[in-house]
Amino acid sequence: MTQNLDMIQRVYANLPDKISNARRIVGKPLTLTEKILYAHMDELPSAPHERGKAYVNFNPDRVAMQDATAQMALLQFMSAGIPQVAVPSTVHCDHLIRAEHGAKTDLSNSLDENKEVFDFLGSVSRKYGIGFWKPGAGIIHQVVLENYAFPGGMMIGTDSHTPNAGGLGMIAIGVGGADAVDVMAGMPWELKMPKVIGVKLTGKMSGWTSPKDVILKLAGILTVKGGTGAIVEYFGDGTASFSATGKGTICNMGAEIGATTSVFPYDESMDRYLRSTERNDVADLARTVAEHLQPDADVVANPAAYYDQVIEIDLNTLEPHINGPFTPDRAMELSEFVKAVKDNNWPEELRVGLIGSCTNSSYEDMSRVAEIAAFASEHGLAAKSEFTITPGSEQVRATIERDGILEKLESVGGVVLANACGPCIGQWKRHDVQAGDKNSIITSFNRNFTGRNDGIKETHAFVASPETVAGFVLAGKLTHNFIKDPIDGVMLQAPVGKELPEGGFVPDPDGFVAPAADGSGVDVVIAPDSNRLQKLEAFKAPKKEEYVNMPLLLKVKGKCTTDHISMAGPWLRFRGHLDNISNNMFIGAINYVNDTANSIKNTFTGEYNEVPAVARDYKARGAYWVVVGDENYGEGSSREHAAMEPRFLGGKVILVKSFARIHETNLKKQGMLPLTFANPADYELIREDDRLSIDIDQLAPGAELTITISHADGSTDSIQAKHTMNDQQIGWFRAGSALNLIAGR
């Protein structure tokens, strides 16, 4: 059943005129990205917005939040004093469900462990007009695709894999909770006008190749930061050759190349998916504006003239890929990978193969793997590695159970986990390894940072398609090319699968809770002694003297993702309690000085201690501090805790070589000062005992700031730093946070 149909009708009714006006302003044919963006601008400009430079205000159609990030987002929304959300919004309980024994037991245990948080999210949702998806209903991105995504729409979500909805032709962007508060409060949402990378797909996939291999290959081409500041738009005849859920897989993992989002043009596969998920009304509406839901013909004919970068991928020749370990952009074809395992001395034995998650849990994914499993079982094969399956939603789980797909997966030893994120985001309690045990796993998830899945830094995690994972699980080792070489005398056959269930999906009758018609009488209770939830206190406005002689807290070496800054896993239970979760701040980041995690020098005592402890000591002394980092700082999740924790514990400035988009915005929203070295080589000048000084009165759009570095030996250096803050963002900084401005209004 379609929710918020009136909103979708308005979007489509206004779309032709808005795109016509946009074409007049831009003065040339439009990409699909431009059509959707200009159609959602708060005000149309008199001249085209310059890509990569102009800040633009947008009006998204809806907001989606997952339970881990929703806690802080809704705590902020409550503190702003707004009675009800201004746009359709939903909360999805998927991150706090642990994976250990199996679906039924794990869900039951999680309901007990997290009752306080689930009750809080449910009551806030009822009170403020927010749709609430209960634990077990499914992973946010799969549920959004099944119920809310629509071609040509625009949404934001408090999770970095929100772009999954691009599989249905939607501009869907991952953001921090403060951005969600803006939109829920009825305010425009600001984004720097993205560049547009065009990826031309030609031909058609066959055999063992799947849509996952498209994004795995692209990650190898663009790397983890190659898409930063850009929307990836797929075009070409190849886009219509595979399913909408396959498109969602590709868009989902676009987050791993730093892309703002990814989007596909409207085609018949989207129509089929909408109708299969009982949204005939949306499918009928989309058909009436189909010409506006794809790039103009001239763009497709001459892409180099309209995209900032063009990449071509021939689906006919595309091979299965495996990416990793420790980074999602180290891409290898299957034959290359099995050789690399030996050459690099990666653990050959495959301990666990995991399929599903928000990236690859569609009916089609499961049916293809079930074909592999059924063939293997019929020929006497079984999984040689542990094999887990995470359905993306209760709707998918119930449907694959009805159609016998689950039975086939279990026939080779598969274990079904809860409809939740589980191992993908560190909510996985393994019993087969201990810390220090060098081992390999392979998943159909999206990220494979060190310790991401199980908290064990020695785990070598590789990312592949579900089909490839299944092949390796049956082989039991990563040096076996199961496409070319038989397993115990049996040659596996490439799967075909079914795009959609012939009998339709089995609906989830109990997963959704609608908000109260009148939420004014709903009470939201937070126990004063709770260690899970804590009401927020406003951050104070900055004072000039606080930015003088700031001690260096930490100089980070190398990759510093949001997992390094604010770990997930067991720390997820504190996502609604800023004080408690701040005890994980930077505990995964590597100190440049001693090449060690969570060990830094307290410049006042001369002793080494854990990062949060030193930060708390500095805060107690009134010594506000600085963190220095490397390239693509803040890569990964949208979690704003990675910005709020430093702010809460006395941080003032993050100075790095470059930022990941979402994290830089989160820092700005929370009143931090995110700066980049004008000369990246100046990173080498920073020493352990340094003090840094900045005159914040000089902060202005486009103006560099001078940083004076005072070294312990009495010498000084003066360097220049850049920032990307405009007048509005500097206003957030001067007020202490963006939320302070909202509450003031």
Side-chain angles (χ1 to χ4, degrees), residues 105 110 173 363 390 396 413 477 497 508 543 573 580 626 634 675:
T105 301
S110 296
I173 300 175
Y363 183 89
T390 303
V396 167
K477 57 183 181 179
D508 176 8
K543 297 178 181 178
R573 67 184 184 274
N580 283 346
V626 178
L675 302 176

Side-chain angles (χ1 to χ4, degrees), residues 6-299:
D6 56 338
M7 176 268 288
I8 299 172
Q9 289 171 329
R10 287 195 302 272
V11 171
Y12 284 159
N14 295 326
L15 197 61
D17 285 345
K18 287 188 173 182
I19 290 176
S20 177
N21 289 332
R23 193 175 286 112
R24 173 180 51 80
I25 292 165
V26 175
K28 60 181 181 179
L30 298 175
T31 64
L32 173 60
T33 297
E34 289 172 314
K35 290 181 179 182
I36 300 176
L37 291 181
Y38 275 90
H40 286 84
M41 287 180 184
D42 187 47
E43 293 182 1
L44 281 177
S46 57
H49 287 298
E50 188 174 358
R51 295 178 188 172
K53 292 189 177 181
Y55 280 96
V56 185
N57 287 327
F58 294 95
N59 292 314
D61 300 313
R62 64 179 314 113
V63 175
M65 296 166 279
Q66 42 95 333
D67 50 357
T69 51
Q71 294 172 65
M72 198 58 70
L74 293 176
L75 285 165
Q76 292 178 83
F77 184 81
M78 289 169 59
S79 68
I82 298 164
Q84 191 172 37
V85 293
V87 301
S89 303
T90 51
V91 167
H92 304 258
C93 296
D94 60 359
H95 274 55
L96 296 177
I97 301 169
R98 210 175 299 175
E100 183 177 5
H101 303 292
K104 188 174 181 179
T105 301
D106 291 343
L107 180 58
S108 177
N109 290 342
S110 296
L111 287 170
D112 291 338
E113 292 173 5
N114 301 298
K115 184 179 187 303
E116 178 185 9
V117 173
F118 293 145
D119 287 349
F120 165 75
L121 293 173
S123 63
V124 174
S125 297
R126 287 194 301 276
K127 183 175 183 66
Y128 293 103
I130 300 168
F132 181 70
W133 288 86
K134 296 188 292 187
I139 305 174
I140 176 172
H141 312 304
Q142 179 67 26
V143 174
V144 165
L145 199 71
E146 292 171 352
N147 294 274
Y148 301 117
F150 65 97
M154 183 180 192
M155 69 173 286
I156 61 169
T158 61
D159 189 281
S160 54
H161 293 101
T162 299
N164 190 81
L168 272 179
M170 194 174 203
I171 292 287
I173 300 175
V175 299
D179 282 339
V181 172
D182 282 355
V183 178
M184 290 190 294
M187 297 171 59
W189 170 66
E190 184 186 68
L191 176 72
K192 184 181 286 186
M193 189 68 179
K195 294 184 177 181
V196 188
I197 297 173
V199 178
K200 183 178 182 179
L201 301 182
T202 59
K204 185 176 181 179
M205 288 174 277
S206 62
W208 286 88
T209 305
S210 79
K212 183 65 165 278
D213 298 307
V214 174
I215 187 60
L216 293 174
K217 179 177 179 64
L218 188 62
I221 295 170
L222 286 174
T223 78
V224 291
K225 63 177 185 176
T228 302
I231 290 178
V232 177
E233 179 175 319
Y234 294 86
F235 71 100
D237 294 340
T239 61
S241 67
F242 55 95
S243 66
T245 51
K247 294 174 174 67
T249 292
I250 294 169
C251 292
N252 177 297
M253 200 175 157
E256 273 53 73
I257 57 174
T260 301
T261 192
S262 303
V263 68
F264 275 84
Y266 172 81
D267 61 28
E268 288 298 317
S269 73
M270 297 183 189
D271 183 90
R272 292 193 296 270
Y273 187 76
L274 287 168
R275 296 185 190 281
S276 184
T277 51
E278 299 186 359
R279 289 177 285 170
N280 289 341
D281 41 16
V282 180
D284 291 340
L285 286 169
R287 279 186 177 275
T288 67
V289 292
E291 66 179 291
H292 303 298
L293 302 176
Q294 44 204 307
D296 286 340
D298 287 349
V299 174

Side-chain angles (χ1 to χ4, degrees), residues 421-713:
C421 300
C424 186
I425 47 93
Q427 288 282 66
W428 182 26
K429 189 172 183 180
R430 291 181 70 180
H431 298 283
D432 63 315
V433 295
Q434 302 294 327
D437 183 2
K438 188 178 178 182
N439 72 102
S440 287
I441 65 172
I442 189 166
T443 82
S444 69
F445 305 163
N446 41 47
R447 289 197 175 131
N448 57 350
F449 302 140
T450 302
R452 164 85 178 184
N453 304 112
D454 56 11
I456 297 173
K457 66 180 181 179
E458 293 83 10
T459 295
H460 290 55
F462 301 94
V463 180
S465 71
E467 298 89 336
T468 298
V469 172
F472 277 124
V473 162
L474 293 167
K477 57 183 181 179
L478 298 177
T479 51
H480 190 116
N481 187 336
F482 54 86
I483 292 179
K484 294 181 178 179
D485 302 322
I487 301 171
D488 298 338
V490 178
M491 196 71 225
L492 296 180
Q493 292 184 350
V496 178
K498 293 181 179 179
E499 178 182 345
L500 295 164
E502 293 177 0
F505 284 100
V506 178
D508 176 8
D510 303 316
F512 179 73
V513 179
D518 179 5
S520 59
V522 177
D523 291 326
V524 178
V525 179
I526 299 175
D529 60 346
S530 172
N531 72 348
R532 299 288 302 272
L533 298 165
Q534 179 188 48
K535 289 186 177 180
L536 294 175
E537 294 185 8
F539 292 131
K540 291 182 171 59
K543 297 178 181 178
K544 183 175 181 177
E545 59 269 22
E546 296 169 346
Y547 294 79
V548 177
N549 286 324
M550 297 175 288
L552 175 74
L553 180 74
L554 170 67
K555 181 179 178 181
V556 181
K557 179 181 179 180
K559 186 183 283 284
C560 188
T561 71
T562 48
D563 281 3
H564 293 91
I565 305 168
S566 175
M567 287 186 176
W571 290 95
L572 285 172
R573 67 184 184 274
F574 297 128
R575 282 286 180 86
H577 198 294
L578 185 54
D579 194 1
N580 283 346
I581 198 169
S582 293
N583 289 322
N584 79 356
M585 186 189 73
F586 288 113
I587 63 175
I590 302 300
N591 184 356
Y592 182 90
V593 176
N594 56 17
D595 215 28
T596 303
N598 205 22
S599 174
I600 61 171
K601 182 178 180 181
N602 185 320
T603 59
F604 291 97
T605 66
E607 298 175 350
Y608 281 80
N609 205 338
E610 296 179 346
V611 181
V614 175
R616 288 183 185 275
D617 181 69
Y618 286 4
K619 181 181 179 182
R621 298 173 185 270
Y624 301 99
W625 44 264
V626 178
V627 163
V628 170
D630 212 315
E631 297 281 5
N632 207 31
Y633 178 92
E635 167 193 348
S637 168
S638 70
R639 70 191 66 147
E640 64 187 331
H641 300 77
M644 295 185 79
E645 292 173 35
R647 182 77 166 96
F648 179 72
L649 291 186
K652 289 293 184 182
V653 177
I654 306 293
L655 173 63
V656 301
K657 293 180 182 178
S658 65
F659 284 104
R661 176 191 63 85
I662 298 177
H663 187 64
E664 182 181 23
T665 300
N666 285 345
L667 290 168
K668 293 175 182 178
K669 288 273 184 175
Q670 301 304 333
M672 292 288 285
L673 188 57
L675 302 176
T676 57
F677 291 100
N679 177 9
D682 288 342
Y683 171 87
E684 304 298 336
L685 296 175
I686 307 297
R687 306 175 194 171
E688 188 175 42
D689 296 314
D690 282 349
R691 301 290 180 115
L692 290 82
S693 299
I694 300 171
D695 182 0
I696 60 171
D697 287 346
Q698 302 304 310
L699 184 62
E704 292 187 358
L705 289 172
T706 300
I707 301 178
T708 302
I709 308 168
S710 300
H711 304 298
D713 61 7

